[in-house]
Amino acid sequence: MSLVLRNGRLPGSDDLVDVRVDDGLITSIGYLAPASGHSPATKTVDLGERWITPGLWDNHVHFSQWSQTARRLDVSDATSARAAADMVAARLAAVPAAGKHDRLVGFGFRDALWPDAPSRTLLDAASGPVPVVLVSGDLHSCWLNSAALAVYGFAGHQTGLLREDDAFAVEHAIDNVPDADLDAWADEAARAAAARGVVGIVDLEMTWNLDVWRRRIDAGTDSLRVDFGLYTHHLDDAIAQGLTSGQVIDGTGGLLTVGPYKVITDGSLNTRTAYCFDAYPGLSGDHDRGMLTVPADELEALMWRAAAAGIRPAVHAIGDNANSLALDAFEAVGCTGSIEHAQLLTAADVARFARLGITASVQPEHALDDRDVADRYWAGRTERAFRLADLLAAGVQLALGSDAPVAPLDPWVAISAAVGRSRGERAAWHPDQAISRQAALAASARGRHGIGVGQTADLAICEIDPFVASVADLRRMPVAATLLGGRFTHSTL
């Protein structure tokens, strides 16, 4: 089947072009004379002078968690621990038969600037016997009441606030819902992503994603391409099965590909566990500079093992010290890969990203979520935070993502944040680190901001020219259609 898209525009131009797609590939861009007669093998769609861009990728998501977020209590607006506890009490009171709650899960709290501290006793008073788990907006901590602490193996924990590996263990446990339910929610989330022009994701959920996504694709979820990530606890299985990064999984119609090996080496800014050279103001003790969760020698050994098997490392590093150690490991191993987040960087390490050919997989919306926390806990260093322009100027490849559910799975939100360094009416935060619309689009579309003959027809059809749209319009970009290999996965045309 052939497809002709008529009367489209390319970003930055008002000229009209036609695009022909044969067997999922773009075979022509330009004026196409109307065919004489009707060919049942060719479908023609009039784009109505809308703009054609490459289809978008979100290069860092936790898809199962994102699929569940809408079904969890939103505590993101809580300005104190007391306010979050009051939200829990209100939700439980809204359901007369509290016994119907086997647990209550909330998401989105950010406690770094709260005037009071999360405590087990405060949450107990709001919840009674119902197990309650509140997951932080950055996924690096969980706040549990006594009932939940007992359920998830932390009975007697003094504060109820779990961090890093303990928090990840709880998050994994609360994601354990019936496959049929989770797969249905994932299919819904995939369709919603396609409606925003998304054609692919890098899924870094902490599970054995090969089986999860093969099951979903077999059941008919076909709106997205998926590169699935691996973690240390699955690395031996992946190597034993001969999986290598970039390998397309047979029987999935080209939708499922082996992604990177992710290893988490430090924490997060909001949790004050990102590993830094300087101490956090007001903190003391062993973790006053954050937490290094994987020692340097262990990181290097893990990366050697993955790279030798053809699996590309993706190293989580947020603090400047964590980033420096991650780059040390890349240099020692001699492989390429990515650093996920790269939020705080020294000038020397920006240059090392470029010299070593390491991709900076960054989430621009985090800069807007974290700006106040950064101004407090990275005071005097924020000119080195979220250095997108500096990385780009050094020749580093950027890959934009959301870290959903930390930020919305919507590349237009990431593009807007990268271009404007602002949201709403606030002034831009370190506007010298803003990047161009072209660069932001390329970093969201596998390195290209335009379409070309010979490329796979993964496309987004936009109502506004992304090269001239305002920052606000980029954030809300109306998407008329999305195509995956020349097949419509979303259309309002």
Side-chain angles (χ1 to χ4, degrees), residues 150-433:
V151 169
Y152 297 111
F154 295 94
H157 191 278
Q158 185 174 3
T159 67
L161 186 64
L162 307 180
R163 294 183 175 184
E164 302 308 329
D165 287 345
D166 290 344
F168 297 151
V170 172
E171 290 167 21
H172 179 73
I174 61 177
D175 286 344
N176 187 23
V177 300
D179 289 345
D181 292 340
L182 188 55
D183 290 353
W185 300 340
D187 185 69
E188 180 182 323
R191 294 175 187 274
R196 299 300 298 140
V198 180
V199 297
I201 60 170
V202 180
D203 186 14
L204 298 174
E205 198 67 76
M206 293 182 185
T207 190
W208 181 241
N209 287 298
L210 172 60
D211 292 346
V212 169
W213 278 105
R214 186 147 47 190
R215 184 184 69 236
R216 289 172 181 171
I217 291 168
D218 286 346
T221 296
D222 63 356
S223 302
L224 301 174
R225 303 188 191 277
V226 178
D227 289 1
F228 67 91
L230 307 162
Y231 282 80
T232 299
H233 50 289
H234 293 131
L235 185 56
D236 286 344
D237 288 340
I239 293 172
Q241 293 187 34
L243 299 181
T244 58
S245 295
Q247 174 187 347
V248 179
I249 301 300
D250 291 340
T252 63
L255 296 178
L256 188 59
T257 300
V258 182
Y261 160 59
K262 186 182 177 187
V263 55
I264 300 174
T265 66
D266 73 339
S268 69
L269 169 58
N270 180 75
T271 314
R272 281 83 74 203
T273 49
Y275 191 58
C276 298
F277 288 114
D278 301 296
Y280 288 88
L283 297 189
S284 60
D286 292 341
H287 300 307
D288 63 335
R289 294 185 295 128
M291 295 176 62
L292 188 66
T293 55
V294 177
D297 56 347
E298 182 180 339
L299 173 62
E300 186 176 320
L302 289 169
M303 290 172 61
W304 270 111
R305 180 158 173 72
I311 302 174
R312 177 177 56 83
V315 180
H316 165 116
I318 289 181
D320 50 5
N321 201 343
N323 275 277
S324 187
L325 292 171
L327 289 167
D328 287 346
F330 273 112
E331 190 157 17
V333 174
C335 67
T336 59
S338 64
I339 290 183
E340 305 296 315
H341 309 304
Q343 288 185 8
L344 189 65
L345 301 172
T346 66
D349 282 340
V350 169
R352 280 211 293 166
F353 263 91
R355 178 168 59 82
L356 298 174
I358 306 304
T359 297
S361 178
V362 294
Q363 299 76 42
E365 185 72 354
H366 291 4
L368 310 186
D369 288 333
D370 291 351
R371 59 186 292 179
D372 295 325
V373 180
D375 284 340
R376 176 170 177 178
Y377 290 104
W378 286 347
R381 290 173 280 164
T382 56
E383 77 282 351
R384 297 194 285 107
F386 301 93
R387 302 180 69 164
L388 305 191
D390 287 347
L391 287 163
L392 198 64
V396 178
Q397 180 177 338
L398 298 182
L400 303 192
S402 66
D403 202 11
V406 179
L409 200 171
D410 186 341
W412 294 112
V413 169
I415 290 169
S416 174
V419 170
R421 303 281 293 199
S422 67
R423 183 171 60 208
E425 300 301 317
R426 294 193 73 176
W429 189 61
H430 294 291
D432 55 300
Q433 292 299 330

Side-chain angles (χ1 to χ4, degrees), residues 63-126:
F63 201 78
S64 291
Q65 293 183 67
W66 170 247
S67 302
Q68 296 182 71
T69 299
R71 295 161 179 85
R72 294 176 171 174
L73 174 65
D74 183 359
V75 292
S76 61
D77 289 336
T79 56
S80 66
R82 168 63 64 184
D86 289 345
M87 291 177 178
V88 168
R91 170 61 68 88
L92 292 174
V95 180
K100 294 193 319 187
H101 292 274
D102 59 344
R103 69 185 181 197
L104 175 63
V105 178
F107 176 77
F109 78 88
R110 297 177 183 272
D111 63 321
L113 300 179
W114 282 357
D116 52 354
S119 72
R120 172 180 51 80
T121 54
L122 179 60
L123 205 51
D124 285 350

